[in-house]
Each structure stands twice: as C-alpha cells, then as structure tokens.
Amino acid sequence: MRWSNGAGSALLCGVVLCAVVGVVGCWTDPDLVNNRPVTAPTPGGNILCSADCVIIDNATPLAATGGAKDSVSALLRLAEFQVSGHAGDQIALAINANGELSGADASAALVIDVDGTSEEYPLKTLPASIDVFSFATAQSVGVKYSVRRGTLRRPAADVRLIQQVTGGSVTHASTPWHRAALATRARLCSGGSCGDSSVCEITAATGTCGSVDWAVTPFYTPSTWSAEEFQSDSGTSASRLIAITFSKPIQAANILIEDPTFVGNTATAYDSSGAFAFSDFAYSDSAGVNHPDSASFSGSINMLVLNPAHSDYVAYDVVITLKPRIVISFDTASTPMNNGIPLLLPKEFARADIKPTYSGAAWPDSMQFRIRIDSAGHPLSNRTIGLVVIPVDSGGSGSDGSYGHHHFGVSGGPAKPRGTVPATVSTGDSIGTFTYRSSQYSAPETIRATYLSADTALARLAVGVDGLHRVDSSSTILWIGPTIAHPTADSHYATDSMETMLSTLASSFAAAHHGKPLPLNDMSLPWGGRFDYDTAKLWSGGHVEHRAGRSADIRTKAGAPGALTYMEKNWVFDFWNDSLHGCVHPEPAPQEHWHLQQSKELGITCKL
Amino acid sequence: MQTLTRLFAGIIALLSFDTQWAEAQSLPGTNLTATARVRVVTMSQDTTIVSYSLLSDVGSLERLVSFKIKLTMTPTMIVVPSPDSVWVIRKLFSGITGASWVALAGIGAGDSTPTLTLKAIGLPGIATAWYHGDSLPVVDEDDSVAVANAPSLDPYADLSKIIQTVGVDTFPTSRTMLNIYNHLWVVTTGACNLGWITAASSWCNFLKGYSHASSISVLGYSAILDSARTYGGGSVINDAAYFMLRANTDYMLHTLVDTSWITLTYVCGNKFRIRSSLYASPHLVYDVTPSSDTTGVTAAGSTSDSIGYTDTFFTASTSGTVHLYYNYPSSPFATVANGAISC
C-alpha cells in the first residue's frame, strides 16, 4: 500500500480496513489528526522547486556512502532534475560543507550528470560552488547528482547542496534525501514528553506515548540517518525483522522506510485477532539509490512487524497515533473526595436533617462531570458520547463487598440500583457536561463513556457516607442479626459520636445489669446508604433509616435471646433519652424492637 | 407487660395500627393519671427538703415510670427509693437540671411510689414536673410513608403529663427581709392561682394581703396560714401549698437574718443596745477594741408584728469601740464607739 497522495490517505485507509476486516466501530472520524506528511516524496519526484532546489540539507546521504552490502561501489543518487532554459540561463550547485568533507576518502566524489555527460568532484576538495550547465539555446536538460561511495567520517549535520537555476525553470524534481519536505514534525513528540498529545515518533527501544507503552525489538539507532530513525542492527549490513508492540491498541501507524533496494520489504499490522493489514514497500532496484517509501495503517493496532527484504539494508521512521481519548474531569475543589475518588452521598435519605455535611453544606448526592474527546491534543466538537453506569454487583465478592452488600438481587426481583447519567452527552463546541446522580445504595460506581473506536473512558466514584466506624462486639455489646446478605461485621457501623453514645450506653447497661451485654442489632452498613436487610426484598426493601450511622436497633422481642426485659427497656429509654439525649421508638410486631436515634445530640428535632 | 404490648401495638391514631385503641387513648406515655402528693417540705438553714409520693389512679392504662421536677439549681441530694435496684435517679436529664426518678418496674394503677425526696439550696417554690407512663410511640421504621409522616414528638412536651408541684426556688441575690418576703408573696399568689388554696376570695386574699411587702407581718401571715390549714377540716389549702408556705414562713421566723434589720446603740458606761426587727433570734458576737475580748450575745427576735422590734442589752467588760458580728470573724455589720457617759 502506497501513499496515494494528499490528505485523504488516512481516511481511505481507515474505510478500507473497516470494510476488509470488519472491525466494529472502526475509526472513521474525518477530524482525526494524521501527522504524517501529506506531501511525501515518491521516486521520480513530486517536489517542485524553482530557483533554488535543496538537494540535501544534512549529512545523512553523504554518510550513507560509507558502504552497504546492497550498494557496494554503486553511486548514491542524491537528486534528479529536469530543467528548461533559454540561452544565457544557468544551472549551478551551491555547496555549504564548512570543511566537514575534508575527511572524506580520496575516492569519494560528487558526480554531476547532465544529459549523460558526467563530471566528478572529490568530496574532500569540493568548492563552494560548481557551474553545472549553461544554456546556449532553449532546451531542457536532465541533471543528476550522485555520490561515489568511499570512506567518510560522518560529517556535521549542516552540509547543504543546493541547485541554483538562473533564468530557467525546474519542470521535474526528485530530492529523496531532502528530509525537510517530509514529516511536519511540529505536532510530534517522543517518548515521555508526549503529555496529552496522542501522536508520537518511535525513537527508542522502549517508550511511552500517552497511556501506551511501546517496545521495539531489535532496535538500533543508526548514525547514518536522522535521530528519529532506527534499524535492526548497527552498520549497514542486511537488516532483520523488527517487531513493535504496544501495551494497548493504537489508532494508526505511519512507517517510512529508508533505502529499500530489493523487492520484499513489508510491514504488517496486527490487532487482537491477528494480522489485519499488510503493505509492501516500493524499492529502487538499484543499489545506492534511495527510494524511501511509506505505509500507513489504521485500526486497532497491537503490533507492527517490519520485515526487510532478503539481504537488504533498510531503516525506518515510525510515527504512531493513539486512539482518540475520551477525557472525563470534574471540579475537584467542590467535590468531596475519599482516597482520590469522589465520594457522593446516597440519595433519598429518610430524613433530610440527618444528612452529613461537607464544607458546611449538605453532602452532595450528585455531581457534574466535564467530558471531551481528545484527538492528538485537539478537542472534537459536537460528538455524541454514550454514557452508562456500570453496575457493580458481584454479590459481595468484589469491590462492592466492602460496602456491606454480600448479595445479589432476589431472583426475579430488581437488579442492584445504580446511579444515573444521561444516555448520551454532546461535546458541544469542545467540552460537554453531564450530571451523575447516586442511588440510595452505597456502592463503588463506574461511569463508562464510549465514542466509536476511541478508548473507552471510565470515571470511578464512590457512593457512601464517610467516616463511619464499626461498633464492635464486646463484653458489653452483643451483635444481633447475622445474615449472609449483610453479615453482622458489616451491619454495625456508626458515626463517631453515635459510636461513643452506644459504647457508653452498653457499658452503663452492663454495669447496671450484672454484666449483661446490650443486644445490638442493625445499625448502618460500612458506607451507609439504604440497608436492605430483608432477604425477600434485596435491592428494594429494608430500613428507611439506618443510612447515616445514626440509628441502631435493640432487641426487645419477648423471648428472643438477649432481648431487653421490661425493666431493662425502661432503663435504656431513661439512659438514652435523658442521659445521652437520643431518641427511642419501638417498632411493631412481628419483629418488634427498639429503634435508637442519635438525634438531640445533633440539635435535631427528636422524631418518633 | 401485656398492657405495654397492647399499647405499643396501637397507640398512635396517625399510624392507624388499631383505631379502636387509638381513638380511646392519648399520646403514649400520657395514658395515666397520677397525683403528686407533697409529703413534707422543710428547710434546714438554707436547704429545702421536699418529699413526694405519686399515686397512680386506678384508671391508669399505663404503668407510671418516671417523675421529674425541673429546678433552677442542681439538687444537693436525691434520695434513691428502696429497693435501689429498681430505681434510677438523675440530677440532669435531657439537659434539664432537677430531680428525676425512674421506676424501672413501673408503678401500677392504684399504686403509689415510695417517698421521693430531694434536697436543694433555695426556698420552697412552685416547679414544673413531668410524669409519664411506660408506653412509647410505635412507628414502623421500614415503612417509608410512616417515617415520612411521623410527627415530631418531644418526650416532655408531648409524651409526658405536665404538672406543677412544690420545687425549690433559687435564693434572691440578696437575702434581705424584703426580698424573702416578696418570694412569699410570689409563692402565695402562685398557690392561689393553681387552686392549691380554695375559697380564693377569702383565704387567698388574706394570705396575699399579709404577704405583701407593704406591711411585713410574718406572724400574722403565719397565723392565717395555720387557720387556713385547720379551717373546714383541712379542705381550704392542700398539702403542697401549706407545706411550701409554712416552710417559707418558718424560714423568716426562725432562720432569716437580715442584719440591716439590726441596730447597735451605745447606752452609757459600757452598756450597749441591740435592737432587732427580725423574727429570728440570731446568735451574734461582739468585741471591744482595743481589747481582744469577744463575747457572744443572742439578739432576741421580734414577737409582735405591731411592735416591730426587740431590744437586747449587753455590757462590755472594757471601755472601747464595740464591733458587732453575725458571722464572726467576718466583717462587723455594726460598729459603735463608747460614748463615755456615766450611767
């Protein structure tokens, strides 16, 4: 697959790939920024210049004359031009070498051919300017610049050869070594300097581009080429296969191959299913003639394999483009956090006056997120992003277990409630916003945002009441109410002050009743929220209160083990109400018990 | 316990657990009637001692559980009734200072509590008290509708019965005869307003008139109070009023020492006169400077409202300036020089 020319390459490539391999959600966004050159050179030349034509602007091609297995004794072609002129017009070559070529071998020479007539100029004694051709009549001449190979110390990078045409015009030009015409590198980054950019150039054996790590095996940075290019081994002997792997799929890769001489240079792109795209590179078929070629892949690329032709020496320049990223953010200054994760209050507390507060205001049970799609550092506008809250319902074995719910829903009953978000959100001009609202249940929550083939974005948050502590079973506290769905170890959480009140009640009760422990039933779950204790109504029924660590049940049912007697109930009421300023109300049969509230302690009206 | 269970099951009409019960009953904790009997009110120096007993009416539907009196000071003592294992006493309850007795076993209909006694520094007065039964409002906390509709009920304002009974008032900042006498007028008026003294147009007017500061007549007031106590077979004034007013009166008659009502005058030679308008007969101390002698003397109290004072004479052992003390050796409240007049 070759460069077809122009900006449509990436799009075309993407469409074709989708059609061929059937990649669901394959990226077809026209705004996807592709940083590979849109004016890449092809053999035969497509870069026109007029008066001045840069042939080389660095030392790379001259250094390449150091010899290669596939190009021994062959001329290294630097450039070809077709120039039309009239009598009196001139063609000259300007040379700026700063003496860097004085170390060249005596046999190394610049060869200038004009319509089949060539002259050689030893590199080590090159003048500052050479008169190449003078037009005597109106005509068109072909001019070729080559270098005869020889031992050459790598010269400085500012060796410049410029063809200067006076009067005439260049009708055809091929300057394959003129790299300035290649990549527009302004948007490129490399390695760890990429930041939020999603385009990187492979410059090391291992590196990181955004959230993607790459590894190149084998990898060698040649002195022959520019610093952005690499090859399999040192020197210019036959190259070996190179594999480039990525820690997670990338969106696109652009590969430039240098000095492909023989047929058989290929590149293959792999996704999770295997090889899905293949490209064979053009070749010069002439030792010493560099016909760099490019290939471009789009898809969900896990690996690239660069396979050189047999006995051929090649080097590569690879630029990768990450998938567009969905970026979700929120205002951290106004968001309650817990261990770096936003912590929201479960909604619909039984009583608004017992809601925890944050910074003097009611703890929020909703929060607003910002969302955008980043493509190579640029936000995409008016895109519709899909949103969903991923349910965490592992029956308590997963991350939701720490929230006290060791259960699934009842068979045929409702699934675990989760927070809500809109089904979609638009990015608008650049950034969209959406609101998450919690459910009544404490839980870890994850919002998943998706957009075509862009990397899925996840926003994690927690829903619960912060700062609850377990009131442990002890010599003065008897845990009541063990269930598989809500084990007692998870059903006895309270606020600090409630914990103090209960501990005081329990120790005083035991002291006044011959050491009898206080039969303490449900309180709150570790992170509060609705306590669906009823095994027949999991995720639906349960306590209306008991959501903020400020309620506790005491066993009073006659005949139940440890239940309070009549006198003990009077004692508990007196102590809880008159000494600790709490509130008490009994609950009806068949599961009668006493419901203790921590109300007056908080300056709250004591309700039933 | 059976009664308790029935009450729990249907006590609130709002929740409609049992309309038959609900219609017939008041809020939980108030379905009983108790009479707070004041058994005795006395004062020991500046400490008031009040004893009560509560009789639960035979028609009470709940067992009496608690009796609480609000005071402006913390009691110095609350006597725990016997057996102490079934009583809880408290000097501070729900942020209120006073006296709280909780009968853990409850007091059944027709039964009476044992004597409940408190001591506190102050004058006998009229106080707010609460008693409540053994029932509490039932609400199904698992029923979101019931919880949302549950009213805010205060255990004192709503779930108890409020009464007025004898308590303890803080002493006036200055314990002068006028201030104490004014307190007597206040509690007398209060007792009348509460109906503790019947036949208000006669006995109340008598007592309020005698207790008015315009004519301090403690002996007269005391006599009227006793007359009221015996009149009509004791039906005119109840125990609470009589004991409370009697204790206030006795305090003025026997205990109150307002030194501004005592004067010291030189007579002749080394003879001096103490003239006291107090009803009490305080023990005083005088000394004569420059000697170091100190001598005790009892200043006889007034025995008549109309005469208004009683004179007590003493002769110092030496000639010099006489200082008279009430709480010796605190500062003397009267100092008189020897006039060196021959008798």
Side-chain angles (χ1 to χ4, degrees), chain A residues 583-587 593-595 597 607-608, chain B residues 136-139 141:
Chain A
C583 299
V584 178
H585 72 75
E587 298 199 32
H593 59 271
W594 273 17
H595 180 74
Q597 296 170 310
K607 296 186 76 172
L608 293 179
Chain B
L136 290 168
V138 177
V139 62
E141 180 266 327

Side-chain angles (χ1 to χ4, degrees), chain B:
Chain B
M1 190 61 198
Q2 189 175 6
T3 302
L4 178 74
T5 305
R6 290 201 328 249
L7 290 169
F8 279 1
I11 214 69
I12 291 189
L14 278 170
L15 303 175
S16 302
F17 290 132
D18 186 330
T19 53
Q20 184 178 1
W21 275 89
E23 290 171 358
Q25 297 175 354
S26 302
L27 284 172
T30 65
N31 292 287
L32 75 169
T33 300
T35 301
R37 291 177 173 173
V38 177
R39 308 304 295 263
V40 63
V41 180
T42 60
M43 290 196 70
S44 175
Q45 294 301 313
D46 58 359
T47 297
T48 292
I49 305 166
V50 190
S51 293
Y52 317 83
S53 66
L54 267 70
L55 172 64
S56 180
D57 190 271
V58 292
S60 295
L61 298 177
E62 298 182 40
R63 294 176 72 82
L64 172 65
V65 169
S66 83
F67 178 56
K68 305 170 194 293
I69 299 171
K70 181 179 181 180
L71 302 176
T72 55
M73 77 292 292
T74 301
T76 55
M77 175 183 287
I78 300 173
V79 178
V80 182
S82 180
D84 59 3
S85 60
V86 299
W87 286 90
V88 174
I89 58 107
R90 205 175 289 286
K91 295 179 180 177
L92 179 66
F93 43 96
S94 297
I96 302 170
T97 57
S100 169
W101 290 271
V102 171
L104 296 177
I107 305 296
D111 291 338
S112 179
T113 68
T115 299
L116 310 174
T117 300
L118 70 85
K119 296 181 180 180
I121 295 174
L123 292 167
I126 298 170
T128 297
W130 303 270
Y131 67 84
H132 69 78
D134 60 1
S135 180
L136 290 168
V138 177
V139 62
D140 185 355
E141 180 266 327
D142 298 337
D143 182 340
S144 58
V145 175
V147 170
N149 293 332
S152 296
L153 296 177
D154 184 274
Y156 292 89
D158 304 312
L159 305 180
S160 300
K161 283 198 165 179
I162 305 174
I163 61 171
Q164 302 293 313
T165 187
V166 175
V168 183
D169 290 340
T170 306
F171 274 112
T173 304
S174 177
R175 296 186 195 183
T176 64
M177 180 64 84
L178 282 176
N179 285 341
I180 302 300
Y181 209 71
N182 184 61
H183 179 262
L184 178 64
W185 186 83
V186 169
V187 292
T188 300
T189 302
C192 289
N193 291 343
L194 288 168
W196 290 359
I197 303 170
T198 58
S201 61
S202 54
W203 293 103
C204 271
N205 285 344
F206 269 137
L207 290 168
K208 286 197 287 186
Y210 268 94
S211 62
H212 198 274
S214 61
S215 58
I216 294 179
S217 306
V218 181
L219 290 172
Y221 181 93
S222 179
I224 295 294
L225 184 62
D226 284 340
S227 296
R229 178 65 168 167
T230 57
Y231 185 83
S235 61
V236 170
I237 185 169
N238 68 12
D239 287 352
Y242 178 74
F243 291 144
M244 174 182 68
L245 298 175
R246 179 80 264 162
N248 275 279
T249 305
D250 287 349
Y251 178 76
M252 284 186 288
L253 289 176
H254 306 300
T255 306
L256 177 62
V257 176
D258 179 354
T259 56
S260 68
W261 285 48
I262 300 173
T263 60
L264 176 64
T265 307
Y266 172 72
V267 179
C268 63
N270 292 338
K271 188 175 182 179
F272 292 81
R273 182 192 69 203
I274 299 173
R275 174 165 290 176
S276 172
S277 296
L278 296 173
Y279 295 98
S281 300
H283 184 70
L284 307 176
V285 171
Y286 68 88
D287 62 15
V288 184
T289 55
S291 76
S292 60
D293 294 345
T294 59
T295 305
V297 60
T298 297
S302 175
T303 57
S304 168
D305 290 331
S306 58
I307 294 175
Y309 60 84
T310 300
D311 290 340
T312 301
F313 296 90
F314 67 87
T315 301
S317 58
T318 59
S319 176
T321 299
V322 172
H323 307 282
L324 192 60
Y325 301 85
Y326 173 52
N327 291 314
Y328 183 84
S330 61
S331 298
F333 67 85
T335 298
V336 174
N338 190 310
I341 301 173
S342 299
C343 291

Side-chain angles (χ1 to χ4, degrees), chain A residues 6-7 54 59 109 143 154 164-165 190-191 196 250 304 338-339 362 374 396 427 437 482 491 554 577 593 600:
Chain A
V54 177
V143 183
R154 181 181 176 82
Q164 298 175 320
V165 176
S190 61
D196 285 337
I250 61 170
L304 294 169
N338 183 276
N339 292 325
D374 177 275
T427 59
R437 301 183 192 284
S491 63
I554 305 293
N577 186 75
H593 59 271
K600 281 188 258 182

Side-chain angles (χ1 to χ4, degrees), chain A residues 308-527:
Chain A
H310 180 69
S311 296
D312 202 358
Y313 160 77
V314 290
Y316 303 97
D317 182 355
V318 176
V319 174
I320 61 174
T321 301
L322 305 187
K323 290 184 175 181
R325 293 186 306 137
I326 300 174
V327 182
I328 302 178
S329 59
F330 54 90
D331 181 7
T332 56
S334 61
T335 303
M337 301 291 284
N338 183 276
N339 292 325
I341 297 176
L343 178 66
L344 301 185
L345 195 69
K347 71 175 183 179
E348 294 182 13
F349 266 65
R351 295 177 57 183
D353 56 1
I354 59 172
K355 279 188 174 183
T357 58
Y358 172 75
S359 296
W363 199 290
D365 57 13
S366 65
M367 68 180 291
Q368 192 174 66
F369 289 90
R370 297 183 293 269
I371 191 164
R372 61 187 169 91
I373 300 175
D374 177 275
S375 177
H378 296 267
L380 301 184
S381 60
N382 297 316
R383 299 306 196 277
T384 300
I385 300 173
L387 298 172
V388 66
V389 177
I390 302 172
V392 179
D393 189 4
S394 60
S397 60
S399 58
D400 61 340
S402 62
Y403 288 74
H405 294 287
H406 296 258
H407 63 82
F408 296 102
V410 178
S411 177
K416 180 181 182 180
R418 48 185 140 151
T420 58
V421 292
T424 60
V425 58
S426 171
T427 59
D429 289 340
S430 58
I431 298 175
T433 60
F434 69 90
T435 300
Y436 165 89
R437 301 183 192 284
S438 66
S439 77
Q440 299 179 49
Y441 295 84
S442 62
E445 294 271 67
T446 301
I447 302 169
R448 182 173 61 202
T450 55
Y451 173 66
L452 298 178
S453 65
D455 277 344
T456 295
L458 302 175
R460 291 182 172 81
L461 47 82
V463 177
V465 179
D466 197 15
L468 301 186
H469 299 287
R470 191 169 66 192
V471 179
D472 280 324
S473 174
S474 66
S475 60
T476 59
I477 291 177
L478 175 65
W479 275 356
I480 298 294
T483 65
I484 295 174
H486 305 97
T488 47
D490 283 343
S491 63
H492 287 79
Y493 278 77
T495 62
D496 282 347
S497 53
M498 180 67 166
E499 179 185 15
T500 300
M501 288 173 67
L502 286 169
S503 297
T504 303
L505 172 68
S507 59
S508 301
F509 179 81
H513 297 90
H514 309 290
K516 179 177 179 176
L518 189 70
L520 194 57
N521 206 327
D522 287 349
M523 294 171 57
S524 290
L525 297 174
W527 288 94

